[in-house]
Amino acid sequence: MIKYKLIFTLIITAFLIHSCSEDNLELTNPNQLSPDTFFKTEAQVQSAVNAAYGNLQTRGLYTRHMFFMMDNMAHENEGNPQLEADKKVYLDFSFDSSHGPIADYWESCFRGINKANFVIGNEAAINEIPDGFMSPERKKKFVAEAKFLRGLYYFLLVTRFGDVPLITVIPEGGAGFPRTSASTVYDQIVSDLTTASTDLLSKASEDVGRANKEAAIAILGKVKLFRKDYSGAMAEFDKIYGKFSLEPDFYDNFKIETEHGPESIFEIEYDANLGDGAKWNSSVSDAGPNEVTFRGQEYGLLDWFNVYPSNKLLDAFEPGDKRYAGSFYSVGDSYANGEATITAVDLTSGSGQKRAGWKKYQNYYYARNENQASSINMKYMRYSDVLLMMAECENEIGSQSAAVDYINEVRARAGLADLSSGLSKQQVFDAIVHERQVELAGEQCRFNDILRWGIASTALSGTNFQAGKNELLPIPDREISSNEAVNQENQNPGY
C-alpha cells in the first residue's frame, strides 16, 4: 500500500518544517530555499503542502498528548498509579494555563496553520508555473489541501479554546494577533472546507493519506453539525452517503494491514519504517524523523499500562455487542497471533486488577509487546461516525424513523438487534448518545460530543468538571507572554 508520510526537512518562512512523500519526492537543499525562489516546480509545491500535514504528527497532537487529553477528560480512561502528572490532570480537570502539553497542542496547531498559509498565500506563484509542468487541476488541489488542513487545525483549536487568533496571512514582523470570536473562526473553517470539498481530488483518484474531496465534505458536515446547522450538515453528509461502507470486522479499523479501508475517511499517518529518531524532540515542530505514535506503548496493558478503560465506559456496552471484544482485551483473550493469552496478572497494576485493557490501536494482535514506535494510523473520521451524525440530523429536523435506520446500520455490524420504529425524539437522542459512546470509544470524540449536547455536567459528575470553566482549555501562558495582542484579561473564564 502506498502511504503518504512526512519526513524530510526544509525551511519555509520563519519555521523549520519538514515533509516527505513516498512517491519519489525530490529532496532539495533547505539552505537554498526562500519564499522568492520557492514554488517553481510541482515538487516544491507538494513538499510545502506535505509540511502542513506534519504538525498532526507532533507530540502536542496525535503522536502523544492528544489522545490522553481527550480520552481522559471524557473519562473513557482511568489512570494507573504510574500515569504521569501532566496527564493525570485531565482526569480531575486540575490543569491551568502553565500546563506544557496544552501549550504544545496550541502551538502545534498554529505552526500547521502557518505552513498552510504559506501555500495559500503563494497561490499566485503556484498558478504561474506553466501548465505543461503542473496541470491546473493539481495546482487547485494542492492549494485546496492547504485549506483543508487550515480548516482542520482551526477546528481543533476552536473546539478546545473557543476564541482564538484568526491568522489567514503569512505573518510579517513581530506583531501579534488578537483573539477572534469563535463564530468568525467557524466561518473561516466552513469557507476553507467548502473550497476544499470542491477543488480536492476524489478518494479514488488521490494518494492514500492525503486530503480528498469526500474527507472535506465529511468534516464540513461535522463542523456544521457542531454549529447546530442540521440541514446544512445533512446536505453535506448526503453527498457521501453510500460512497463508503462499514468494515465487516469492526476491529479491522485499528490494524496496520487494513488502514485506509472502505470505512476510512481521514487518518493521521504513521510508519515506523520511515524513522523515529526525533520522536522525543518533536513536541510542536515535527522536525526530523518522527513517523510514529506512542499510543500503543502508553495504553498497552502488557507495557506501560498508564491508563485503562473506565468502568463507566465498559458498562455502557450491551450484552453481545461485538464492539466490546474489538475495543478491549479481557482475561482469556488471545493475542500475538494466537500464541499467547491475557491473564488476570496481565490486567493487574499497582492499584489492583482491571476488568479490561485497550485493544483499539494496539499492536498486540500480532506482537507480544509494544514499544515507543507504533505504526498504526489514528483515525480522525470513520464512516460509522458519519452515519451516527446523519441520525442526529434526522432526529433534529427530519423523522425519527429515518434516524433509527442510520443507527441500525451501525448496530447491525455490532451484532445487535435493530432499534424499533416509533421511538420518540428523546429516545432516539438517547440511542445516539449511547451508540457514539460505544462505537467511537477511545477515538477522541466523546468529550466534544457531551459538550455540544450540553450533558457534560451530568456525564462527568464526580470528576471535578466545572461547568462554565472546563468546556474550554486555558490560553497558554506561553501565548500570553509572547503575543502582545493577548493578555491575562483575555484568558478563558475560570483560569
Side-chain angles (χ1 to χ4, degrees), residues 62 89 94 242 295 421 463 489:
Y62 285 92
V89 294
S94 62
R295 172 62 172 74
S421 58
T463 67
E489 293 179 359

Side-chain angles (χ1 to χ4, degrees), residues 139-151:
K139 294 173 186 176
K140 288 176 62 176
K141 84 99 180 179
F142 279 124
V143 173
E145 280 186 78
K147 290 187 176 182
F148 172 95
L149 290 166
R150 183 170 69 181

Side-chain angles (χ1 to χ4, degrees), residues 90-167:
Y90 298 127
L91 290 169
D92 61 10
F93 297 92
S94 62
F95 45 78
D96 59 26
S97 58
S98 68
H99 189 59
I102 290 177
D104 290 345
Y105 181 110
W106 172 283
E107 187 172 342
S108 291
C109 288
F110 275 110
R111 284 176 178 247
I113 289 165
N114 183 76
K115 296 171 187 178
N117 284 339
F118 182 71
V119 176
I120 299 165
N122 282 282
E123 183 175 6
I126 294 170
N127 287 332
E128 289 177 1
I129 298 173
D131 291 350
F133 293 98
M134 187 178 187
S135 70
E137 180 186 44
R138 291 187 65 77
K139 294 173 186 176
K140 288 176 62 176
K141 84 99 180 179
F142 279 124
V143 173
E145 280 186 78
K147 290 187 176 182
F148 172 95
L149 290 166
R150 183 170 69 181
L152 178 56
Y153 285 121
Y154 265 120
F155 191 43
L156 294 175
L157 285 166
V158 75
T159 51
R160 291 281 59 77
F161 298 95
D163 300 351
V164 295
L166 181 59
I167 308 171

Side-chain angles (χ1 to χ4, degrees), residues 51-342:
Y53 285 87
N55 281 82
L56 294 171
Q57 293 177 304
T58 61
R59 284 190 290 117
L61 291 180
Y62 285 92
T63 293
R64 196 170 193 220
H65 285 284
M66 172 75 155
F67 46 80
F68 277 117
M69 175 190 290
M70 300 303 290
D71 297 347
N72 287 7
M73 289 197 299
H75 274 257
E76 295 180 311
N77 282 336
E78 294 298 339
N80 276 316
Q82 64 270 24
L83 180 64
E84 295 170 309
D86 66 354
K87 302 168 188 67
K88 286 181 180 178
V89 294
Y90 298 127
L91 290 169
D92 61 10
F93 297 92
S94 62
F95 45 78
D96 59 26
S97 58
S98 68
H99 189 59
I102 290 177
D104 290 345
Y105 181 110
W106 172 283
E107 187 172 342
S108 291
C109 288
F110 275 110
R111 284 176 178 247
I113 289 165
N114 183 76
K115 296 171 187 178
N117 284 339
F118 182 71
V119 176
I120 299 165
N122 282 282
E123 183 175 6
I126 294 170
N127 287 332
E128 289 177 1
I129 298 173
D131 291 350
F133 293 98
M134 187 178 187
S135 70
E137 180 186 44
R138 291 187 65 77
K139 294 173 186 176
K140 288 176 62 176
K141 84 99 180 179
F142 279 124
V143 173
E145 280 186 78
K147 290 187 176 182
F148 172 95
L149 290 166
R150 183 170 69 181
L152 178 56
Y153 285 121
Y154 265 120
F155 191 43
L156 294 175
L157 285 166
V158 75
T159 51
R160 291 281 59 77
F161 298 95
D163 300 351
V164 295
L166 181 59
I167 308 171
T168 59
V169 297
I170 301 170
E172 296 181 1
F177 290 79
R179 296 181 73 183
T180 301
S181 71
S183 177
T184 301
V185 175
Y186 269 112
D187 288 343
Q188 183 63 51
I189 294 169
V190 169
S191 176
D192 281 343
L193 293 176
T194 299
T195 299
S197 70
T198 300
D199 293 345
L200 287 173
L201 302 182
S202 68
K203 181 181 180 182
S205 303
E206 184 56 275
D207 293 337
V208 294
R210 304 191 79 90
N212 58 62
K213 182 182 298 292
E214 291 81 5
I217 291 170
I219 298 174
L220 177 58
K222 182 176 183 176
V223 171
K224 290 184 176 183
L225 176 65
F226 273 48
R227 301 188 84 182
K228 301 187 184 304
D229 177 7
Y230 300 110
S231 59
M234 195 65 175
E236 300 302 330
F237 296 142
D238 276 335
K239 296 175 185 177
I240 59 172
Y241 179 68
K243 293 187 177 182
F244 297 84
S245 61
L246 300 179
E247 290 276 7
D249 184 341
F250 174 77
Y251 187 55
D252 279 346
N253 284 297
F254 311 103
K255 295 159 62 177
I256 295 173
E257 298 85 354
T258 46
E259 291 170 346
H260 300 292
E263 189 170 344
S264 172
I265 294 179
F266 188 67
E267 306 185 10
I268 313 302
E269 303 290 311
Y270 292 101
D271 187 344
N273 292 325
L274 296 176
D276 68 340
K279 61 181 180 291
W280 286 107
N281 304 325
S282 298
S283 59
V284 298
S285 73
D286 81 294
N290 60 343
E291 307 303 313
V292 298
T293 171
F294 289 83
R295 172 62 172 74
Q297 180 83 293
E298 297 278 12
Y299 282 32
L301 69 97
L302 302 173
D303 293 276
W304 287 356
F305 202 18
N306 286 323
V307 293
Y308 57 93
S310 68
N311 287 335
K312 181 179 288 188
L313 174 59
L314 298 177
D315 289 341
F317 285 77
E318 300 168 61
D321 190 332
K322 295 179 181 179
R323 291 171 294 195
Y324 189 97
S327 301
F328 315 112
Y329 281 114
S330 304
V331 172
D333 288 348
S334 64
Y335 68 100
N337 290 319
E339 297 175 358
T341 302
I342 300 295

Side-chain angles (χ1 to χ4, degrees), residues 436-485:
R436 288 188 66 82
Q437 181 179 21
V438 296
E439 173 71 24
L440 302 170
E443 297 182 52
Q444 298 79 58
C445 292
R446 175 138 175 101
F447 188 65
N448 280 337
D449 282 345
I450 60 178
L451 289 181
R452 65 188 179 83
W453 291 328
I455 63 172
S457 293
T458 300
L460 298 174
S461 61
T463 67
N464 294 322
F465 175 85
Q466 297 181 47
K469 174 183 178 181
N470 296 131
E471 293 89 349
L472 299 175
L473 297 177
I475 303 301
D477 286 346
R478 292 201 319 234
E479 179 67 14
I480 292 175
S481 64
S482 63
N483 183 351
E484 61 184 19

